């Protein structure tokens, strides 16, 4: 049984075109995490305020609101191979702006906004390309690979950002990021054509773009099988965004770890947990439905966050954090890959880009106020109590799922 399951994973990896997309995902995500952590830590050091960290995260959000509705439509209009390639090289140029603005706070906000603006076009072009490159029965495994390497990039990126800056200067993460994105661009450039199945006339007409964006929203609204994965992805992204907002303060105040050199000790348990969870998904799918896997993720992650909030009661804080962090990561993996797999399976092929574009617009609309609130609360309340609040929200979502399912 185990040998058979391993062969299924290897079959996906033998697909050279999927491997190229995977290389782009690895390098672009590694860049994302290296830069995100470097910028967040630098902003926290400059201002010593979680609210300022919230502003950086909001810069990502503003880009989503400006371009999210357009991005999904364009992902369904143009060859996704060239969209991914142009975006990878464009993001490399946006990161290179650091060498002009330096460590200026508003300069970092500008880089974040430009990088995120381009990322809005990358996301709805990348994820919907997976079903074009693998067989339908391989979609969950393919998404598991993406979740797996996303976690590896999380570990390496967050762990390397602080020491890299300390050893080679604050410009080092940006130099590495430019190089990685060039590799990503070269990988996607060699993909086969990923043209949409429906050819559109006058692709630059704003009225047509807006009409097609609304068409994607209507498809989501009318297709009940898309509701649960979309809402689940929005919910977990909001919680993850709030966790990132409080992460620097939690490291410093709750665990007592140096922000520059200790990042690996924070990220490693979370990332290893996600790696384990993603690796086991293909096996667990034999016994549980995708929806059950997602619900298991919400309930398990919520319980672990509530447990983590009690860290102030123990002396061996890092050991305590490592245990709960590992399980938080494990359950987190059970939300993303199954939700994306359901979304890609049930959405119409010619609407997938719009569905993903709409997903991230709805995500940002929903996440804006909570991100601000958590930043304000983290500056006035004990930081560990924030984990209890986030855990309670996840538990509530998981417990309400059976009620919604019976409707």
């Amino acid at each position: 049984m185990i040998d058979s399951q391993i062969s299924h994973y290897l079959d996906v990896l033998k697909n050279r075109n999927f491997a190229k997309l995977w290389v782009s995902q690895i390098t672009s995500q590694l860049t994302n995490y290296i830069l995100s952590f470097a910028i967040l830590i630098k902003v926290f050091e400059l201002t010593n305020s979680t609210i300022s960290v919230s502003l950086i995260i909001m810069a990502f959000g503003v880009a989503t609101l400006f371009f999210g509705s357009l991005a999904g439509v364009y992902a369904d209009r143009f060859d996704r191979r060239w969209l991914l390639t142009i975006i990878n090289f464009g993001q490399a140029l946006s990161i290179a702006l650091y060498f002009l603005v330096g460590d200026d706070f508003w300069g970092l906000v500008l880089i974040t906004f430009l990088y995120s603006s381009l990322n809005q076009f990358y996301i709805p072009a990348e994820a919907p390309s997976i079903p074009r490159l693998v067989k339908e029965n391989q979609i969950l495994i393919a998404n598991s690979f993406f979740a797996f390497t996303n976690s590896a990039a999380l570990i390496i990126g967050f762990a390397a950002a602080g020491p890299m800056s300390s050893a080679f200067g604050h410009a080092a993460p940006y130099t590495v990021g430019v190089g990685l994105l060039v590799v990503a661009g070269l990988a996607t450039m060699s993909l086969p054509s990923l043209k949409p199945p429906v050819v559109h006339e006058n692709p630059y007409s704003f009225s047509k773009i807006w009409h097609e964006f609304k068409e994607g929203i209507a498809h989501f609204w009318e297709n009940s099988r898309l509701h649960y994965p979309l809402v689940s992805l929005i919910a977990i992204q909001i919680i993850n965004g709030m966790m990132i907002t409080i992460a620097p303060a939690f490291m410093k105040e709750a665990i007592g770890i140096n922000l520059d050199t200790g990042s690996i000790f924070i990220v490693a348990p979370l990332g290893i947990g996600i790696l384990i969870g993603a690796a086991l998904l293909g096996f667990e799918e034999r016994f549980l439905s995708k929806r059950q896997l997602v619900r298991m993720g919400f309930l398990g992650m919520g319980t672990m966050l509530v447990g983590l909030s009690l860290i102030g009661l123990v002396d061996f804080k890092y050991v305590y954090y490592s245990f709960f962090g590992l399980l938080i990561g494990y359950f987190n993996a059970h939300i993303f890959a199954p939700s994306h797999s359901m979304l890609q399976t049930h959405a119409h092929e010619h609407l997938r880009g719009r569905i993903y574009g709409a997903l991230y617009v709805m995500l940002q609309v929903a996440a804006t106020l909570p991100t601000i609130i958590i930043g304000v609360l983290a500056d006035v309340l004990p930081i560990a109590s924030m984990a209890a609040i986030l855990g309670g929200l996840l538990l509530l979502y998981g417990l309400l799922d059976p009620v919604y399912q019976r409707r």
Side-chain angles (χ1 to χ4, degrees):
M1 180 184 295
I2 295 177
D3 289 342
S4 174
Q5 192 63 39
I6 292 174
S7 70
H8 292 322
Y9 280 87
L10 292 177
D11 286 341
V12 176
L13 281 182
K14 290 176 183 176
N15 183 328
R16 294 184 65 183
N17 289 324
F18 171 77
K20 293 172 185 175
L21 185 66
W22 193 37
V23 167
S24 175
Q25 187 248 2
I26 293 170
T27 51
S28 60
Q29 286 286 43
L30 188 56
T31 301
N32 185 37
Y33 288 124
I34 289 174
L35 289 180
S36 295
F37 195 75
I39 290 175
L40 291 177
I41 293 300
K42 173 51 63 177
V43 167
F44 190 74
E45 288 178 344
L46 288 172
T47 65
N48 200 34
S49 170
T50 305
I51 296 176
S52 297
V53 175
S54 298
L55 288 176
I56 289 291
I57 295 174
M58 289 292 293
F60 282 99
V62 171
T64 304
L65 292 176
F66 280 177
F67 300 110
S69 58
L70 302 176
V73 174
Y74 275 97
D76 287 334
R77 283 173 169 261
F78 296 103
D79 191 332
R80 291 172 184 151
R81 171 184 60 175
W82 291 114
L83 278 176
L84 292 169
T85 301
I86 292 169
I87 293 162
N88 280 324
F89 288 132
Q91 286 183 313
L93 290 174
S94 71
I95 293 171
L97 287 175
Y98 173 81
F99 301 105
L100 296 177
V101 303
D103 289 330
D104 176 74
F105 173 74
W106 292 109
L108 294 175
V109 171
L110 174 63
I111 291 173
T112 302
F113 174 75
L114 293 175
Y115 178 87
S116 181
S117 296
L118 290 167
N119 211 40
Q120 303 315 305
F121 292 86
Y122 185 90
I123 295 167
E126 180 196 58
S129 297
I130 293 175
R132 294 282 299 274
L133 300 175
V134 302
K135 299 175 182 177
E136 184 173 341
N137 63 353
Q138 296 177 326
I139 291 176
L140 178 61
I141 292 177
N143 278 286
S144 297
F145 273 118
F146 268 53
F148 188 92
T149 51
N150 182 61
S151 306
L154 174 73
I155 297 172
I156 298 170
F158 277 20
M164 190 185 301
S165 297
S166 297
F168 303 106
H170 293 304
Y174 301 88
T175 304
V176 171
V178 170
L180 288 172
L181 285 171
V182 169
V183 172
L186 294 174
T188 53
M189 186 184 293
S190 61
L191 283 170
S193 175
L194 294 170
K195 290 181 180 178
V198 178
V199 179
H200 298 268
E201 297 181 359
N202 192 11
Y204 301 101
S205 168
F206 180 80
S207 62
K208 288 185 177 294
I209 291 172
W210 181 244
H211 171 75
E212 291 178 22
F213 173 72
K214 291 190 294 182
E215 187 180 13
I217 295 288
H219 177 55
F220 156 69
W221 191 259
E222 295 165 2
N223 189 342
S224 60
R225 292 181 298 178
L226 298 179
H227 294 177
Y228 185 71
L230 270 170
V231 174
S232 296
L233 286 169
I234 290 172
I236 191 59
Q237 289 279 33
I238 291 172
I239 296 298
N240 283 351
M242 296 166 80
M243 288 173 62
I244 291 171
T245 300
I246 67 172
F250 193 89
M251 285 175 59
K252 182 178 179 181
E253 298 172 20
I255 308 176
I257 288 181
N258 181 278
L259 294 178
D260 277 335
T261 59
S263 54
I264 186 172
F265 300 109
I266 295 299
V267 177
L270 291 168
I272 292 170
I274 297 176
L275 290 176
I276 295 171
L280 292 177
L281 278 174
F283 175 75
E284 293 172 335
E285 189 193 16
R286 301 165 68 96
F287 309 100
L288 298 171
S289 69
K290 294 181 180 69
R291 184 165 186 146
Q292 288 173 323
L293 289 171
V294 173
R295 183 166 182 254
M296 169 183 165
F298 276 103
L299 292 174
M301 187 175 170
T303 302
M304 294 306 109
L305 278 169
V306 172
L308 182 61
S309 70
L310 304 176
I311 192 170
L313 303 178
V314 300
D315 294 326
F316 41 94
K317 296 188 187 310
Y318 182 69
V319 174
Y320 188 86
Y321 164 77
S322 297
F323 173 77
F324 282 96
L326 183 75
L327 291 174
I328 288 169
Y330 171 79
F331 286 114
N332 188 281
H334 286 70
I335 300 172
F336 276 98
S339 295
H340 279 292
S341 180
M342 285 190 283
L343 195 61
Q344 293 161 6
T345 300
H346 298 313
H348 292 166
E349 182 178 353
H350 69 285
L351 292 171
R352 284 185 188 132
R354 272 165 276 182
I355 291 295
Y356 271 89
L359 165 64
Y360 285 95
V361 171
M362 291 187 287
L363 165 63
Q364 193 51 51
V365 170
T368 299
L369 186 59
T371 300
I372 295 173
I373 291 174
I374 202 72
V376 173
L377 289 177
D379 279 346
V380 297
L381 295 177
I383 195 66
S385 65
M386 298 297 100
I389 293 173
L390 299 182
L393 292 173
L394 289 170
L395 284 170
L396 180 63
Y397 184 89
L399 292 171
L400 288 177
D401 176 37
V403 177
Y404 174 80
Q405 200 169 8
R406 287 196 296 267
R407 293 178 57 187

